[in-house]
Amino acid sequence: VAPPAPTDACPACGGPLQAGRSAPAAEPGFGEVALLRCTTCGTAVTDAPAAAELYESGDYAPGPPRGARAAAPLLRAFDAQRLRFARELAPPPARLLDVGAGRGRFVAHARARGYDADGIEPSARGVTGARDSYGVALTRAGIDDAQIGPGSVDVVTLWHVLEHLDDPGGALARIHGWLRPGGGLVVGVPNLGSLQARVGGARWFHLDLPRHRTHFTVAGLRAALAGAGFEVVAVHHALAEHNAFGLWQSAVSRATARPSYLFHLLKRNAPWRSRDLAITLLALPLVPVAIVAEVLAGLARRGGTVAVTARAIAPPR
Ligand SMILES: [Zn+2]
């Protein structure tokens, strides 16, 4: 059965959708992508077909990114912050499931800190990479086809996954069924209501079109969680992992010919020889400014991405 067309209703809150602006795709050669906007919660929807092959190419191309070794301490700090959110809901040795586990880095991190942690990941390359890089055996499955025992999980982490789904409400309802009553959920998504979404406009780093399907506001995410039977515990706006870089990259993208040039360079997806390289290097001294600005945005509850912690209460509506 095909998922409902995104023109029907807001996938976050069920409100009416109107035609919004269009924005350039994050992948070269993909052109402009139209967006629809919910008049109730402000969440936006990508009005173009999902291109499954984009997960095996471009940003998601094989091979470790440039500078992966140098970034390792930073990645550990990011994982530690994500794990703190999980710990507030269910401390180790709780059963933790990372949904959309990528290459398994977070599962390995959680295991090392005492969790009974596993992960599911739909891409074959993620599963292979997890085995080779971290010795972690992920289950190759998506949310729709994963075989997880009802009520068998204490806490689910859903980190930058929900925005990739056309039916986030259905996914949240399924996850609700995997959790024990009162079990926890940590969900991280880009925040369309953020300062950096405003600064970047159509070139906002975290739009990532057409891979990102649902572009949440906090109001939209709260509505989606409530509809799936979750009670929000906290909304965190000050996140180390994506926010300062997202703001800096969104601002620089207004000056470069190619959006998100440095990001693509690090992912081995853009040429070195480019005028964009000069602009990017000139903008590097602005990184500390972006860090301070994003901290202030977080305090104003307008962080570039948000992490919401929630508990499974009533069954989904
Ligand atoms: Zn809505």
Side-chain angles (χ1 to χ4, degrees), residues 10-17 38-43 217 220 223:
C10 172
C13 79
L17 293 172
C38 173
T39 58
T40 303
C41 77
T43 292
T217 60

Side-chain angles (χ1 to χ4, degrees), residues 283-306:
L284 281 179
L286 296 176
V287 167
V289 178
I291 292 171
V292 171
E294 188 59 43
V295 168
L296 295 175
L299 290 172
R301 313 294 289 166
R302 293 187 65 200
T305 70
V306 291

Side-chain angles (χ1 to χ4, degrees), residues 8-9 13 33 61 67 78 80 82 100 108 119 149 188 220 229 232 234 244 250 270 290 297-298:
D8 294 341
C13 79
V33 177
F78 296 160
R82 196 195 320 181
V232 170
S250 298

Side-chain angles (χ1 to χ4, degrees), residues 115-309:
Y115 275 96
D116 175 15
D118 279 303
I120 62 171
E121 164 59 37
S123 87
R125 217 177 41 230
V127 172
T128 307
R131 188 192 61 211
D132 296 348
S133 303
Y134 300 103
V136 168
L138 298 177
T139 300
R140 187 176 174 193
I143 294 170
D144 288 342
D145 58 344
Q147 301 296 314
I148 310 289
S152 67
V153 181
D154 295 309
V155 59
V156 164
T157 49
L158 191 62
W159 202 247
H160 289 265
V161 170
L162 209 55
E163 65 270 28
H164 292 262
L165 306 180
D166 284 308
D167 180 19
L172 289 171
R174 252 186 94 72
I175 288 169
H176 189 288
W178 302 340
L179 287 165
R180 65 166 165 78
L185 173 66
V186 181
V187 48
V189 293
N191 175 13
L192 187 61
S194 63
L195 169 71
Q196 63 181 255
R198 176 69 67 88
V199 167
R203 290 182 155 217
W204 179 36
F205 175 65
H206 289 295
L207 272 182
D208 196 12
L209 299 170
R211 274 183 296 260
H212 287 187
R213 315 295 305 163
T214 307
H215 311 269
F216 289 96
T217 60
V218 172
L221 182 56
R222 280 180 173 278
L225 286 166
F230 287 95
E231 181 178 69
V232 170
V233 175
V235 182
H236 301 271
H237 283 259
L239 302 177
E241 184 162 352
H242 295 99
N243 287 7
F245 180 77
L247 177 57
W248 177 86
Q249 183 67 86
S250 298
V252 175
S253 287
R254 299 198 73 112
T256 53
R258 178 187 186 135
S260 305
Y261 172 77
L262 178 62
F263 176 78
H264 287 293
L265 189 69
L266 293 172
K267 293 282 187 179
R268 303 176 189 272
N269 194 22
W272 278 104
R273 283 170 174 278
S274 168
R275 189 171 150 273
D276 287 348
L277 179 62
I279 294 169
T280 297
L281 291 174
L282 283 170
L284 281 179
L286 296 176
V287 167
V289 178
I291 292 171
V292 171
E294 188 59 43
V295 168
L296 295 175
L299 290 172
R301 313 294 289 166
R302 293 187 65 200
T305 70
V306 291
V308 176
T309 51

